[in-house]
Structures are given as C-alpha cells and as structure tokens.
Amino acid sequence: MVNHDDETPSGFAGLGRDELAVLVPELLLSGHLIDRSGMAHSIAAFGRDGMAQIAIEEWQVASPVYTRRMQRALNFEGDTVETIFKGLQLDIGAPPQFMDFRYRVEDDHHGEFWLDHCGALADVEPMGEDYVRAMCHDIEDPTFDATALATNSHAQVRPIHRPPRVPKDRKPVCAWTVTIDSAHVPPPIPANFEAVAASNAARTALEPIDPGDDGAADYAGPLLSDLRFTDFSRSALIRMADEVCLQHHLLTLGFLIAVGSRADAGLTAQIGRKQFAGIAGLTAQRLRDALGVGDDDAALAKVLRLHPAWNPLPYTGVRVDQADIGVRLCIPKHSGAVADRVWPSLIDATNLAPIEAIARGVNPHYAVHVIADTADELSVGFLLAARPFAEAGEVAITRFSTGADFRFSDRGIPLPLTVI
C-alpha cells in the first residue's frame, strides 16, 4: 500500500526545528554552488568572457527579486545599509561561513563589508589571474550593485581592495564600501529583469510565519554578526527554506535566459540539464550527510522531498511516495516551475540524468526507471542495481569546488552590529 505525503503547503513541514537549522545553511550553500556547475558548461560553450557575461546577467535579474521576497518574509524591509547586509546573510550569493562576510555599519547610509574567507575565490584562484579578475572585477561590480539596489536605488558598492591578492595570502581577501547617496544615479534596469520579476517563481505565495511559534519569527531586530539558525522558530525556518529554494529557481531562470540569448533551444536545454545534474547530485549527497539519513529507500525519499529542485511545493507540485516496493517521484507537467521553464521542465522520459544524479548522491547503486508518462505527470521509480554506477561527469565537475566538502561550525552567540 502506498503511503502518500499529506497535503501540505511546504515540503519541509515534516522536519523539526533542529533539522531545519541544519538544512537552511545547506540550502544556501547549494544555491551558491549552482554556478560551479553551470559556469563550467558556459565556459565550454561560450568561453571565459561569455561565461562572465552570463553570470552577470543571471545574478542581476534574479537577486533583486529574491532579496525583496526574503525581506518581506522575515520582516526586515527598509532602505538602509543594515537592510542590505541582512539580505546578504540570507542570500545564496553569500552562504554563511563558506562566503565569510563580516560587516560594519557606520550609519544608515554608510557601511563596509569584507570577506575573511571566500570559498568562491578558493575555487577560482587555481585557475589563474584572468579567472580571478573575471569573478572579482567583471562579475562582482554589477552584481553587488544589483543586490544593493534591491534595497535602495541609490546604493553603491565599491571596492577598498580585492583580488588578485597581493600578497597572495592577503586577509581579508577583499573589502568593500556601501554608500547610499541620493546623488547616485541608478543604473538602467537590466534586460530580462521584468520577465523574471513577473515569473511564477517571483509571484509564488508561501505560508506566512506563525508569530506564536517558539523562537524568533523574523529578523526585525538588530543586524547580527552571524545568523544562528537555531535561534529562529520552526515556522520561520520552514519559510526560509522555501524562500531559498525559490532563489535556486530564480537564479536558474536567469541563467537559462542568458544562455538562451546565445544558443538555440536545443543547446540551451542541454546546458541546463548539465547544470541541473551537477548541482543536483552534489546537493543530494550533502543533504544525506548533513541529516545523517543513510542510503536506503527511506533516505532517498527524504532527500527527494527536501531537495531544492522539487521545492517549494506550491511552485513545483512535485510528489514523493514511498511504498514497500520502493520510492516514486511524480513530476506534474503543468506547474509554475514548468511554465517558467526551470529545472522540472528539463525532465522528461528520455532525460532523467538529474534525477539519476540525485538518487546516486544518496546511494550509487540506484537506477531510475519510468513508471508512467501521461499528459499530466511523469512518474519514475528507483531500483538498486547489483553494482554501483560511476559518478556522472557533471557531478564530478561541480565537486571541483571546495564547497563540496565544506562543513559548517558552531560560532556561538552572535553579536549585534547595529549602530545605536
């Protein structure tokens, strides 16, 4: 007898507060590592300069949309430097500790941030100075501004110093000022921004946070040196997790739009599937290890339910069932995600590589097979093969990142940074 998931507004509703506090930083890191997969295939197709331009375009159109969503969800809307910094702490562009942002607020219109550790730089420095400049100069200048502009159209982010590092072990690795001045002329709205802002992902409604739940229900208080996720309520953590998954889809939407402006539909889908498979497999393994769920069918079902590819449920409509005969993943062919043409839209009966990568991130013996393919839904099942499958090349490419083996640590009680 099949045990269907209860109808629920969130795929994370089955988790306790402690599990959610582990999950949210994992999801933030997963979102960041999307580019470790996508940009490798962009370089192959369009060269280093083309890759850099794609990265600029995807972040410019996605980050303002999801930044405002998170501000509304966690009740810290505003137009100050403090608001900008709070947004960065819940942004896949700046996952905690891996991208170790530190902040100083001088007043509402002036502040600084610097990175004591930059996982992205650790990934790129071995590739040479040209790639470092592409990331730390060409990409960061317009994308940092785009993120800040989501809070205040007159905000500017400018470097104090940045890589290439001189000396080569310089710490902090970079430092930046943030200045809000009405004399600053806002840059033009990026091409395709309105399309992303009007997407189903941007407009997906999620359950509000329950203010009566134990723990912090929002981030309306002072800016903190670090976010300690165990301090937030279960309800707040569920909303954070769903919002971070939407960040994944919005960034992927921006990526596919940028690739699609340079390639035909076939090549765009091919690059999109490779990007999807690479991050999907690595994320599945990290979720499995972080939550300590093992490698059996129950573990596979849990990882599938929690994977950002299939969340939030109001956007994807994906269902995971578990029965005595195994696990079933059901992907509807009509959903907000399919209409936006993001990850779920790239899956069909002949293109299952991202699902295979997820399953093998849990256990390398899993094979994926089609159970049913109708006008409304694709259903796939999972069987254990006698021999393990080799890791997909797309996952191996993504594993190049130091984020693949990164471990979060407990930094204790965070300090308030807000100027009084």
Side-chain angles (χ1 to χ4, degrees):
M1 182 176 179
V2 175
N3 177 29
H4 291 280
D5 288 352
D6 293 332
E7 290 295 319
T8 175
S10 175
F12 305 109
L15 297 184
R17 187 174 170 187
D18 289 344
E19 282 185 304
L20 286 161
V22 171
L23 178 73
V24 171
E26 285 291 339
L27 292 176
L28 286 164
L29 180 56
S30 166
H32 187 80
L33 296 180
I34 290 173
D35 271 357
R36 296 305 176 276
S37 178
M39 291 309 146
H41 304 295
S42 300
I43 292 170
F46 309 110
R48 186 186 66 240
D49 292 343
M51 173 277 296
Q53 193 58 39
I54 287 170
I56 291 168
E57 292 173 20
E58 66 169 356
W59 288 97
Q60 277 186 319
V61 298
S63 65
V65 175
Y66 66 62
T67 294
R68 293 179 185 126
R69 283 191 60 100
M70 191 68 84
Q71 289 174 352
R72 292 192 299 270
L74 273 294
N75 190 30
F76 63 93
E77 291 179 279
D79 59 2
T80 66
V81 165
E82 177 183 316
T83 307
I84 294 171
F85 291 166
K86 285 183 176 182
L88 284 170
Q89 290 177 317
L90 290 162
D91 189 320
I92 57 174
Q97 300 181 23
F98 183 70
M99 302 291 289
D100 197 10
F101 279 65
R102 305 287 89 194
Y103 304 98
R104 177 184 300 116
V105 178
E106 297 176 20
D107 56 42
D108 284 350
H109 299 122
H110 301 86
E112 295 180 8
F113 66 84
W114 60 95
L115 273 73
D116 282 345
H117 170 76
C118 178
L121 181 64
D123 293 346
V124 171
E125 272 187 326
M127 299 171 68
E129 186 171 308
D130 287 344
Y131 279 94
V132 171
R133 287 190 179 277
M135 181 180 74
C136 300
H137 294 245
D138 301 341
I139 296 172
E140 294 294 20
D141 282 354
T143 55
F144 270 149
D145 270 353
T147 300
L149 289 166
T151 296
N152 192 307
S153 61
H154 298 287
Q156 287 187 346
V157 181
R158 296 293 180 266
I160 300 170
H161 67 83
R162 56 179 161 177
R165 291 193 283 174
V166 180
K168 64 181 181 179
D169 59 348
R170 182 174 187 172
K171 293 283 185 73
V173 300
C174 65
W176 304 73
T177 62
V178 181
T179 305
I180 297 171
D181 188 333
S182 59
H184 291 160
V185 178
I189 296 173
N192 301 310
F193 172 76
E194 296 299 339
V196 174
S199 67
N200 290 291
R203 294 182 289 111
T204 294
L206 298 172
E207 283 289 293
I209 296 168
D210 179 1
D213 206 0
D214 290 340
D218 58 31
Y219 195 11
L223 172 71
L224 300 173
S225 57
D226 291 292
L227 287 189
R228 188 168 61 172
F229 293 98
T230 52
D231 291 338
F232 288 92
S233 71
R234 179 174 172 276
S235 178
L237 290 167
I238 289 172
R239 180 61 183 268
M240 281 185 204
D242 276 329
E243 290 289 348
V244 173
C245 290
L246 278 176
Q247 293 187 17
H248 286 64
H249 293 293
L250 284 161
L251 186 67
T252 296
L253 177 57
F255 173 75
L256 293 173
I257 289 173
V259 171
S261 70
R262 294 164 171 81
D264 61 25
L267 180 56
T268 299
Q270 179 184 349
I271 292 173
R273 290 188 183 104
K274 288 178 178 294
Q275 178 236 39
F276 185 7
I279 188 58
L282 181 59
T283 297
Q285 180 186 328
R286 285 194 60 92
L287 292 178
R288 179 201 67 184
D289 294 346
L291 298 173
V293 295
D295 62 0
D296 58 7
D297 279 359
L300 174 61
K302 186 164 187 173
V303 169
L304 286 168
R305 290 185 181 110
L306 303 179
H307 201 286
W310 316 127
N311 286 287
L313 297 185
Y315 181 57
T316 70
V318 169
R319 190 176 75 253
V320 178
D321 299 328
Q322 185 181 354
D324 293 340
I325 59 171
V327 178
R328 178 180 296 194
L329 174 69
C330 303
I331 304 172
K333 294 185 178 180
H334 307 283
S335 69
V338 171
D340 282 347
R341 303 190 65 79
V342 292
W343 285 334
S345 74
L346 300 175
I347 300 296
D348 59 40
T350 60
N351 290 286
L352 300 174
I355 300 176
E356 291 173 338
I358 292 173
R360 293 167 191 169
V362 176
N363 186 324
H365 289 263
Y366 273 118
V368 181
H369 62 97
V370 174
I371 296 173
D373 185 12
T374 71
D376 295 322
E377 185 176 78
L378 174 68
S379 298
V380 300
F382 304 85
L383 297 172
L384 287 169
R387 295 182 179 179
F389 293 91
E391 182 173 74
E394 293 87 351
V395 179
I397 288 171
T398 313
R399 196 180 297 284
F400 163 80
S401 172
T402 57
D405 298 316
F406 187 80
R407 294 292 176 264
F408 296 100
S409 62
D410 182 354
R411 291 186 166 183
I413 299 173
L415 299 175
L417 300 178
T418 301
V419 176
I420 299 176

